[in-house]
Amino acid sequence: MTNKLNEQNWRPKTQMVRGGTQRSMFDETSEAIFMTSGFIYNRAEDAEAAFKNEVDRFIYSRYGNPTNEMFQDRLSLLEGAEACRATASGMAAVFASLACQVNAGDRVVGSRALFGSCQFILTEILPRFGVEVEIVDGASIDQWSKALSKPTKAVFFETPSNPGLEIIDIAAVCKIAHEAGALVIVDNVFATPVLQHPLKLGADIVVYSTTKHIDGQGRTMGGAILGSKEWINNVLSPFYRHTGPSMSPFNGWLLLKGLETLEMRVKTHCQNALDIAEFLVKHKTPTKVLYPGLNSHPQYDLATAQMSDFGTVVCIDLDGQKSNAFRFMNALQLIDISNNLGDSKSLTTHPATTTHQRISEDERSKLGITDGFVRLSIGLEDVEDLKEDIAQALEKV
Ligand SMILES: *Cc1c(COP(=O)(O)O)cnc(C)c1O
């Protein structure tokens, strides 16, 4: 296997197409899929040396695999990270990033506005293992300061949040967290590696559900954890090797090819999303339109400072009424009802009854997820067709 050496100096678009490529003896154009669980050794001594970590080579695909390594290297270049590990799903990435480093008695501070399963890990699973978890309003620097006035092991948040599109000041929270001795983990799913670089703003670890925009075509589950070489090799790697959250090489290949078109896809998603958000603001029906790119968004200035564009998800509230939300969603003819997002196909979700139904009504109301709240993941279709579909469905509300 051979690769090139000056990848770090390439511009992002070149890194997306070529970064991490390693060619086999066959000199293939497109990266190969190494669908193999194991690797062979010429001599017993070579196996011994590999297990003693005396040589850097592939041992077993639970530890690492050539196709997945190409994906990990390409994503690391885009993120500006030293190292990456691919996981079977976004949730495997979130769980491993926390579980690899916390011990009973440690403290973790997280934001309230989280994807339902991330919230479950923080509030249900970690406390079972004796980890103290405190939840704060992510937009309140005061609450972060108070919660981080005690020594803390890790901080976890997502920005923009799913589905409330809350923006958290990454640089400000990192500064406070580091004073408390905490490593900061940012779930960057909604921003994608194209729009926001948490590591450059001071974060220590970035996690992705690659199921979303990185695949972007609804084909595969996947996740990724990025950070320093030191942390990935010494803290994450032992946990990752022995607990088995690793990615299938086939999925690694799909995601590697997904990265090649990521920037152009995300840019079009964002253009369509802004267009639709502005169209919805002018429409009489939604009682609220939420998009970080509208200057009516409570953290528009922070979003502008921290992100290069505003993301692919637009949310509306239809007067807090479930009947309105369901009537709207059922009337859509082009946009599909699905709990996924970041897909080339536009999708819509009713968080209160699906992704966030497990969360108490009280918590949901704190997050602004009313029964009339509808999430729209804006795809790559012609935006005029999307607007016509939304307009005819709003007529039915
Ligand atoms: C989807 C999602 C996850 C979980 O990812 P899976 O690939 O579905 O396991 C985590 N965080 C956020 C913000 C998400 O949107």
Side-chain angles (χ1 to χ4, degrees):
M1 305 265 287
T2 54
N3 65 353
K4 306 204 178 83
L5 297 171
N6 57 342
E7 305 182 316
Q8 307 279 352
N9 301 328
W10 290 341
R11 291 164 184 83
K13 282 183 195 162
T14 309
Q15 290 173 333
M16 277 182 214
V17 175
R18 292 181 176 270
T21 299
Q22 299 189 53
R23 291 211 162 95
S24 78
M25 60 194 279
F26 299 115
D27 290 328
E28 61 281 354
T29 310
S30 174
E31 298 77 359
I33 311 177
F34 289 89
M35 237 21 231
T36 180
S37 46
F39 302 86
I40 59 158
Y41 309 92
N42 288 329
R43 304 175 312 140
E45 286 83 354
D46 295 341
E48 182 184 26
F51 275 80
K52 279 186 171 164
N53 264 336
E54 289 168 0
V55 287
D56 185 20
R57 57 156 289 162
F58 293 106
I59 295 174
Y60 191 47
S61 284
R62 167 149 49 78
Y63 300 180
N65 169 281
T67 308
N68 290 351
E69 186 172 276
M70 289 190 263
F71 169 64
Q72 291 170 173
D73 290 350
R74 188 170 292 177
L75 188 56
S76 296
L77 285 168
L78 300 180
E79 199 63 45
E82 289 174 6
C84 173
R85 287 290 180 279
T87 57
S89 69
M91 288 323 303
V94 170
F95 182 65
S97 73
L98 284 159
C100 72
Q101 59 173 321
V102 294
N103 298 305
D106 282 345
R107 244 173 89 72
V108 171
V109 178
S111 60
R112 173 165 287 113
L114 292 179
F115 181 65
S117 301
C118 299
Q119 211 242 15
F120 187 81
I121 288 175
L122 287 184
T123 61
E124 305 280 338
I125 296 179
L126 293 184
R128 254 201 260 150
F129 295 94
V131 176
E132 184 195 329
V133 176
E134 188 171 342
I135 299 295
V136 300
D137 284 335
S140 162
I141 293 298
D142 270 3
Q143 288 196 22
W144 284 110
S145 293
K146 225 170 271 165
L148 291 165
S149 60
K150 293 180 230 168
T152 300
K153 194 66 175 277
V155 159
F156 184 91
F157 61 86
E158 62 190 50
T159 180
S161 69
N162 181 3
L165 305 178
E166 177 181 86
I167 311 288
I168 294 177
D169 189 335
I170 299 174
V173 174
C174 288
K175 193 159 169 282
I176 304 164
H178 290 156
E179 281 162 15
L183 291 187
V184 177
I185 307 166
V186 177
D187 180 336
N188 206 38
V189 169
F190 268 49
T192 82
V194 178
L195 305 181
Q196 175 172 277
H197 296 101
L199 299 178
K200 294 198 177 103
L201 296 167
D204 303 285
I205 296 145
V206 171
V207 291
Y208 283 107
S209 162
T210 63
T211 313
K212 312 294 165 57
H213 311 80
I214 292 177
D215 173 37
Q217 290 148 86
R219 302 165 297 188
T220 177
M221 304 295 301
I225 309 169
L226 299 113
S228 70
K229 233 178 212 149
E230 209 269 327
W231 185 83
I232 295 273
N233 289 342
N234 299 333
V235 182
L236 177 65
S237 219
F239 181 92
Y240 178 93
R241 282 184 167 211
H242 299 300
T243 61
S246 40
M247 176 180 275
S248 154
F250 182 73
N251 294 349
W253 178 79
L254 281 173
L255 293 161
L256 178 69
K257 304 309 279 181
L259 286 178
E260 294 182 3
T261 54
L262 182 66
E263 176 170 295
M264 52 194 286
R265 285 188 288 109
V266 169
K267 279 196 168 149
T268 305
H269 278 290
C270 290
Q271 271 166 17
N272 284 356
L274 180 63
D275 198 340
I276 285 170
E278 285 171 345
F279 161 79
L280 284 163
V281 167
K282 283 186 222 129
H283 199 280
K284 60 189 189 306
T285 308
T287 39
K288 189 169 157 191
V289 182
L290 206 55
Y291 183 65
L294 294 175
N295 56 22
S296 59
H297 188 284
Q299 295 145 306
Y300 172 74
D301 291 339
L302 178 57
T304 307
Q306 184 166 279
M307 300 169 72
S308 62
D309 207 334
F310 301 103
T312 65
V313 173
V314 178
C315 296
I316 53 174
D317 199 323
L318 297 168
D319 208 17
Q321 301 299 312
K322 180 178 165 186
S323 55
N324 286 344
F326 276 28
R327 224 173 283 140
F328 169 71
M329 291 170 70
N330 290 339
L332 289 167
Q333 291 173 1
L334 184 61
I335 300 173
D336 295 303
I337 301 171
S338 170
N339 48 283
N340 201 9
L341 62 93
D343 197 282
S344 52
K345 294 182 173 63
S346 294
L347 305 171
T348 185
T349 304
H350 185 246
T353 53
T354 59
T355 52
H356 290 67
Q357 56 90 14
R358 209 193 50 78
I359 292 168
S360 70
E361 211 171 318
D362 180 46
E363 279 286 303
R364 277 207 299 273
S365 80
K366 278 187 196 159
L367 298 173
I369 307 171
T370 70
D371 287 347
F373 190 96
V374 176
R375 186 183 79 190
L376 291 160
S377 168
I378 306 302
L380 301 177
E381 301 95 338
D382 191 305
V383 74
E384 298 306 322
D385 287 329
L386 294 175
K387 284 196 261 185
E388 280 173 25
D389 193 30
I390 291 169
Q392 65 79 24
L394 286 173
E395 292 301 314
K396 311 277 181 351
V397 173

